[in-house]
Amino acid sequence: MTTAASASPTAQVTVTDTRISDEIRVVGMVWERELIRYVRTRTRIVSGLVQPVLFLFVLGYGMSGLVGTTGGFNFREFVYPGVVAMSVVMTAMFSAMSIVWDREFGFLREMLVAPVSRTSLVLGKTAGGATVAAAQGTIMLVLAPLVGIHLTPLLVAEVISLELLMAVAMTTFGVFVASRIQKMESFQVVMQMLLMPMLFLSGALFPLNGLPGWLTVITRLNPLTYAVAPLRQVVFSAQNMSAAARARFPTKVTLFGYTLPMGLELAIVVVFALVFFVLAFRGLSRTE
Amino acid sequence: MVTNIAMDRPDLRLRDTGPVAVDVRGLTKRYGAMAAVKDVHFSVGQGEVFAFLGPNGAGKSTTIKMLCTLAHPTSGQATVAGFDVVSRAKAVRRHIGLVFQEQTLDDQLTAEENLRFHAVLYGVPHAQIDPRIARVLDLVALTDRRKDLVSTYSGGMARRLEIARGMLHTPKVLFLDEPTVGLDPQTRALMWEDVMRLRDEEGVTIFLTTHYMDEAEYADRIAIIDYGSIIALDTPDALKASVGADTVDLETADDETALAALKRDGYTVKRSEDGLTVFVADEEAAVGPIVTAVGVPVRTVRAHRPTLDDVFLHFTGREIREQHGEALPMFARAHGARRS
Ligand SMILES: Nc1ncnc2c1ncn2[C@@H]1O[C@H](COP(=O)(O)OP(=O)(O)OP(=O)(O)O)[C@@H](O)[C@H]1O
Ligand SMILES: [Mg+2]
């Protein structure tokens, strides 16, 4: 083999010190990767739709008979915002938990050894997970007319904003959980033992009033409760509902007899997101 | 313990002349009571191909992890590209390329997407990303597969893509941890061509680990590591010379006459079980003259040059292959393919 040191001065890279703009590019790149992977795995998009759709129609129609119609409003319409939230939460969680795959297939290492801050990596991952989750939740909006939910442009904008907030919170939570999981097999366990109970006990699928005491406590401790309620509130406020229907299907969360304003609910979700952002960052910072 | 010629020559272990790419002094790593790496000293010159050769569990990956700032040394110092691996970890990472023992590609992305991701992570300026990607893909001959998902790649192609990725940000030192494990001989040879081309064209220092003897032959210098300690360090030729001379084994029609004739001509000869053994400086060059010199019909000739297997056996008292359940594929020693 001959030496050709002088033959190729092309494309030499000069690496300079860390700049903010570089870190922003990293956030963008990690975000873009999430999107590419999401678009590329159509099965994930479809399977992410099937479960919420099943809940919407099977549970919605099944329970409607039992719950009955109040002032032209039935259980299907009640459960619809919950099902949208469910699809957002599940997509966000799946997206975040892909870190477990990344660990298994080694790609996590490629990211962690790079000379970039962990903050950028977690931010990019969060932004990516939140984007695909909000997208998935927004796809669910096409089902609104089928269950008799009336959409306005303002409502769509509000719903997407709330989906994004919910998705950010769930992605940081998911990244934190994923950072604690070393094995792929644990993934299913987490989904069954953590995500499903959180969803079922968030008020997504049933009203939160008139529950037995212990269940009331659990639902109020569940941070998802405070993400689901605002979504239902904005959806319902855009519907023509009779006073009777509003009384039958309440959307407010009460805590010690005090009815939480939406701002406070959202603040709880923001705090939850921030706490888990820090924990996720810490979880990924541990070196060998 | 065998006396080690190479260990008595510090000039070969620590390079004080020329730019130093990796400098390691007294590096130690303990996991609990077990020392994975024990008080290791060496340095690697800029542009050198340096191999860590050792059996499973010898401490090769652990050493690489410390040099790449992925593991904290228990004690000792190391600099890579002039930066301390503990206090300047981020600077070290900027100046190194890494190919891990385990694959670390995203197989749901294309080759190009994997490279682009890496380029951004390593702060390659925007305008240089495309030309640089084209260049490294060309270096590993994967240009025509750049739009394919990595999941469609063979093991060898994925490995070469990882090497390309490791070179993308023009590192000063490229670390390759067992780069060819699990590859077939042709792919391994191809990969070595890639590596040598990188060294020649980009002047990168290559630090690799392997437990394939024939692969270590490509290196400028080899450190043999066993149970966390370096037990020999020198050029492949010097290591081989240190375990003994070349020999030519002969069977002739009349060994007595042949022995006398060879001794008369000044050869060092001794009788072996089934013939004669002649000790020479260079077996290849010696065969012809010896056959002429014996003066009797020669039945068989066998020339032997010590291999790295002999070296390993000499320094550790066992064969490297005993460490594995598998028999290692030993492809024809690539003397011809080496730079001379
Ligand atoms: N994280 C760890 N915790 C505990 N022990 C470890 C850890 N990493 C490595 N070891 C131990 O350190 C020793 C050296 O391991 P290392 O991975 O460096 O070997 P190696 O030379 O790379 O071997 P191989 O050829 O199998 O890759 C082994 O005995 C291993 O069990
Ligand atoms: Mg190893």
Side-chain angles (χ1 to χ4, degrees), chain A residues 15 25 33 37 40 110, chain B residues 93-94 106 113 118 124:
Chain A
V15 181
R25 278 169 75 208
R33 169 172 178 256
R37 287 169 60 102
R40 215 160 262 169
E110 150 80 355
Chain B
R93 287 185 199 183
R94 272 189 181 277
D106 183 345
E113 286 164 348
H118 184 89
V124 176

Side-chain angles (χ1 to χ4, degrees), chain A residues 20-170:
Chain A
I20 295 293
S21 60
D22 284 341
E23 296 288 343
I24 292 171
R25 278 169 75 208
V26 170
V27 175
M29 195 70 228
V30 176
W31 174 81
E32 191 182 327
R33 169 172 178 256
E34 289 302 308
L35 262 59
I36 293 174
R37 287 169 60 102
Y38 171 71
V39 172
R40 215 160 262 169
T41 46
R42 299 218 173 71
T43 49
R44 206 175 115 198
I45 302 180
V46 172
S47 69
L49 279 175
V50 168
Q51 205 162 3
V53 166
L54 268 179
F55 271 103
L56 182 59
F57 288 98
V58 175
L59 199 66
Y61 279 85
M63 295 293 284
S64 287
L66 196 66
V67 178
T69 304
T70 309
F73 206 78
N74 65 30
F75 186 74
R76 244 179 353 260
E77 289 154 291
F78 169 80
V79 89
Y80 174 76
V83 167
V84 171
M86 191 170 174
S87 86
V88 171
V89 166
M90 291 205 317
T91 312
M93 198 73 180
F94 262 102
S95 191
M97 295 291 283
S98 67
I99 283 186
V100 180
W101 265 260
D102 286 346
R103 191 195 302 281
E104 190 84 5
F105 294 114
F107 196 74
L108 185 64
R109 207 173 215 192
E110 150 80 355
M111 292 195 267
L112 292 184
V113 299
V116 297
S117 71
R118 304 278 152 103
T119 311
S120 305
L121 297 176
V122 180
L123 268 179
K125 190 83 191 171
T126 305
T131 308
V132 300
Q136 190 83 26
T138 306
I139 294 173
M140 292 294 293
L141 291 183
V142 301
L143 299 174
L146 292 180
V147 290
I149 292 287
H150 176 64
L151 293 177
T152 64
L154 175 67
L155 176 58
V156 171
E158 284 172 339
V159 167
I160 291 177
S161 312
L162 288 174
E163 281 175 350
L164 274 172
L165 175 64
M166 191 187 302
V168 165
M170 281 316 285

Side-chain angles (χ1 to χ4, degrees), chain B residues 31-49:
Chain B
Y31 289 110
M34 204 264 307
V37 176
K38 283 180 243 170
D39 193 28
V40 162
H41 294 259
F42 61 88
S43 59
V44 182
Q46 185 66 40
E48 196 178 2
V49 176

Side-chain angles (χ1 to χ4, degrees), chain B residues 138-199:
Chain B
D138 189 45
L139 277 172
V140 299
L142 283 173
T143 304
D144 51 340
R145 295 292 302 267
R146 69 187 186 282
K147 301 262 186 229
D148 294 349
L149 290 184
V150 172
S151 56
T152 69
Y153 275 34
S154 71
M157 289 165 65
R159 210 65 184 142
R160 288 161 61 202
L161 178 60
E162 291 198 292
I163 292 174
R165 187 180 64 180
M167 286 301 298
L168 191 59
H169 53 288
T170 50
K172 291 259 190 327
V173 187
L174 179 62
F175 289 93
L176 304 168
D177 197 1
E178 312 227 2
T180 59
V181 88
L183 302 184
D184 64 51
Q186 288 91 327
T187 313
R188 285 167 63 188
L190 215 61
M191 211 215 67
W192 270 101
E193 276 177 32
D194 294 341
V195 169
M196 288 307 181
R197 195 157 50 232
L198 285 173
R199 198 275 291 271

Side-chain angles (χ1 to χ4, degrees), chain B residues 60-61 101 177-178:
Chain B
K60 304 182 295 291
S61 296
Q101 191 166 355
D177 197 1
E178 312 227 2

Side-chain angles (χ1 to χ4, degrees), chain B residues 89-103:
Chain B
K90 203 159 167 181
V92 168
R93 287 185 199 183
R94 272 189 181 277
H95 291 94
I96 59 174
L98 276 170
V99 177
F100 294 106
Q101 191 166 355
E102 312 82 27
Q103 189 178 309

